[in-house]
Amino acid sequence: MATRHNWTKEEILEIYNKPLMELLYEAATIHREHHDPNTVQVSTLLSIKTGGCPEDCGYCPQAARYHTNVEGNDLMSVNQVKAQALRAKASGSSRVCMGAAWRNVKDGEEFDSVLEMVRTINKLDMEVCCTLGMITENQAQRLAEAGLYAYNHNLDSSEEYYKEVISTRGYQDRLDTIGNVRKTNVTVCSGGIIGMGESADDRAGMLVALSTLSPQPESVPINALVPVEGTPMEEQEPVSIWEMVRMVATARIVMPETQVRLSAGRTQMSREGQAMCFFAGANSIFAGDKLLTTPNPDVSEDMELFKSLGLNPQKAFEKKEQPKSVSAEESQYQNLGEKPKWSRPGHKIERNLEAQQKRKAKA
Ligand code: SF4
């Protein structure tokens, strides 16, 4: 089946709500046409700068305004990152995703350090991904030139429900950053979270937003919310495995070429549940006992699961050629010291405000 870029919400909802066995069969068939069903990529997510974020994402323990037990840290050094990447490679990861709790990238020393981290990991022959918040076209070009393989920027939910989750930036800002990444050779990683109180309509809406991008994102992480004490979503009920399987299968059907990533929430899933997600089209997991700040199964458990299912870890650069890294001295792009005006809608989200007030009362 050729990739379509004109999916409607109604069509996607119809797929999402199919009888489960039919949905699984259709998704698994499409998966086999486009991917090796016995290969799953293992990626490692590294929090290179944790906590203290000025944004108000309702699901996130790293937002400075909520009271959580996350301990913040300054930007890691290039050597620390290299050591962690080597460890990840030795345990079977072919991709490292570096996350910094920033609203947007600011030109300067810290960004220069991140560019050096990108060069360093690319030289280890691993796929490098970054998730650093909103970026300009020039910053995307500088990352591309350093050898970045992918940039992650999640849409999180549908445009309508996004307003119930975050008030400090708009959906269009997300799309603009993805657009800036698309002007380079860097691949796009963008997905979302289920279990934040959104409806099936919102889930379909998010898949419309992703699948109608042209080209579609090369990578789509599907996260199940891990409710963290102190955040506005601390009391959300966990999503059922059936919802996760439906979401993975639907993403697979509407984005056949995409790497669908089973992301946060795996600790709440049984081995059988995860196997069903692989059957439905998930072909990547995140390894390591932490996903930025939330718990994740440990690597040996994952390798045991791979062994019992007969799965092989995907090698780096199987889907796209390794980018070349240009050194800082030979760079063609300048530090422009840009100060772009990303939006601040600032509308009221009751549960976010309550969580912030609770934190103030505790302090
Ligand atoms: S999700 Fe990212 S942008 Fe939002 S509060 Fe957390 S670290 Fe900040």
Side-chain angles (χ1 to χ4, degrees):
M1 193 172 85
T3 302
R4 275 182 55 191
H5 297 275
N6 57 353
W7 290 100
T8 64
K9 191 150 86 176
E10 291 66 34
E11 286 175 312
I12 292 182
L13 264 178
E14 203 181 312
I15 298 172
Y16 181 85
N17 288 320
K18 273 188 183 199
L20 190 70
M21 298 307 138
E22 240 175 77
L23 175 62
L24 276 176
Y25 182 73
E26 193 180 325
T29 307
I30 290 176
H31 186 50
R32 279 161 181 269
E33 282 165 11
H34 297 269
H35 307 268
D36 174 354
N38 298 316
T39 300
V40 170
Q41 184 170 43
V42 183
S43 307
T44 292
L45 191 49
L46 211 60
S47 185
I48 56 169
K49 191 268 166 194
T50 308
C53 182
E55 300 289 83
D56 76 338
C57 309
Y59 51 81
C60 182
Q62 300 200 65
R65 62 190 72 205
Y66 309 133
H67 182 81
T68 67
N69 291 329
V70 166
E71 272 181 41
N73 68 268
D74 293 337
L75 187 67
M76 282 167 72
S77 70
V78 177
N79 281 341
Q80 282 172 319
V81 167
K82 184 177 181 182
Q84 300 246 24
L86 280 169
R87 211 169 306 145
K89 189 176 182 182
S91 60
S93 281
S94 58
R95 179 164 172 134
V96 172
C97 180
M98 298 189 280
W102 289 331
R103 168 173 164 81
N104 58 282
V105 168
K106 294 190 181 116
D107 290 340
E109 251 175 56
E110 290 199 320
F111 186 43
D112 292 345
S113 250
V114 173
L115 294 171
E116 206 44 49
M117 293 171 195
V118 171
R119 291 185 193 101
T120 306
I121 303 177
N122 190 41
K123 280 187 200 131
L124 300 178
D125 297 326
M126 299 179 83
E127 295 173 14
V128 200
C129 175
C130 277
T131 181
L132 312 170
M134 295 171 287
I135 54 172
T136 63
E137 184 181 340
N138 182 63
Q139 290 164 340
Q141 293 289 8
R142 293 179 75 199
L143 284 162
E145 201 195 36
L148 191 73
Y149 185 86
Y151 194 82
N152 166 269
H153 204 59
N154 289 333
L155 290 184
D156 291 340
S157 192
S158 65
E159 182 165 12
E160 296 73 29
Y161 199 69
Y162 196 77
K163 298 187 186 87
E164 304 294 323
V165 179
I166 297 149
S167 76
T168 51
R169 54 169 191 262
Y171 210 66
Q172 190 56 45
D173 295 322
R174 306 304 275 176
L175 294 168
D176 289 348
T177 285
I178 292 173
N180 287 338
V181 175
R182 272 292 174 228
K183 292 176 190 151
T184 72
N185 283 332
V186 174
T187 59
V188 168
C189 174
S190 184
I193 309 174
I194 63 169
M196 301 191 293
E198 76 289 336
S199 63
D201 247 55
D202 292 312
R203 291 176 191 172
M206 179 182 87
L207 292 178
V208 170
L210 292 168
S211 63
T212 53
L213 290 172
S214 187
Q216 291 178 342
E218 286 80 358
S219 161
V220 169
I222 306 286
N223 296 276
L225 176 76
V226 179
V228 179
E229 204 187 326
T231 63
M233 296 191 183
E234 63 182 356
E235 281 167 13
Q236 280 295 326
E237 286 294 316
V239 290
S240 75
I241 186 64
W242 310 122
E243 292 170 276
M244 197 62 183
V245 169
R246 283 186 182 280
M247 197 62 189
V248 166
T250 310
R252 167 52 66 232
I253 293 169
V254 301
M255 293 175 280
E257 300 281 350
T258 293
Q259 195 95 10
V260 176
R261 298 184 187 272
L262 201 51
S263 305
R266 275 201 308 125
T267 42
Q268 298 151 14
M269 283 180 216
S270 67
R271 290 154 58 92
E272 294 80 359
Q274 292 181 57
M276 212 182 290
C277 288
F278 295 139
F279 185 70
N283 53 354
S284 172
I285 56 164
F286 282 103
D289 57 0
K290 280 241 167 104
L291 266 194
L292 293 180
T293 58
T294 52
N296 199 45
D298 89 25
V299 181
S300 56
E301 270 177 53
D302 285 336
M303 286 307 113
E304 249 178 59
L305 180 63
F306 271 43
K307 207 169 154 205
S308 36
L309 302 180
L311 295 175
N312 303 308
Q314 184 181 303
K315 294 192 181 74
F317 312 113
E318 268 190 13
K319 306 271 166 162
K320 192 180 169 257
E321 216 178 297
Q322 179 171 10
K324 295 208 167 35
S325 287
V326 173
S327 69
E329 298 70 40
E330 285 166 7
S331 170
Q332 292 184 21
Y333 292 92
Q334 315 244 327
N335 167 348
L336 296 178
E338 293 172 287
K339 290 195 181 132
K341 289 238 176 309
W342 300 103
S343 77
R344 282 191 190 275
H347 54 273
K348 280 200 177 76
I349 303 176
E350 228 33 73
R351 61 185 172 184
N352 289 12
L353 292 173
E354 275 167 25
Q356 195 177 354
Q357 275 149 13
K358 256 199 224 167
R359 179 233 157 141
K360 276 192 191 142
K362 268 192 188 171

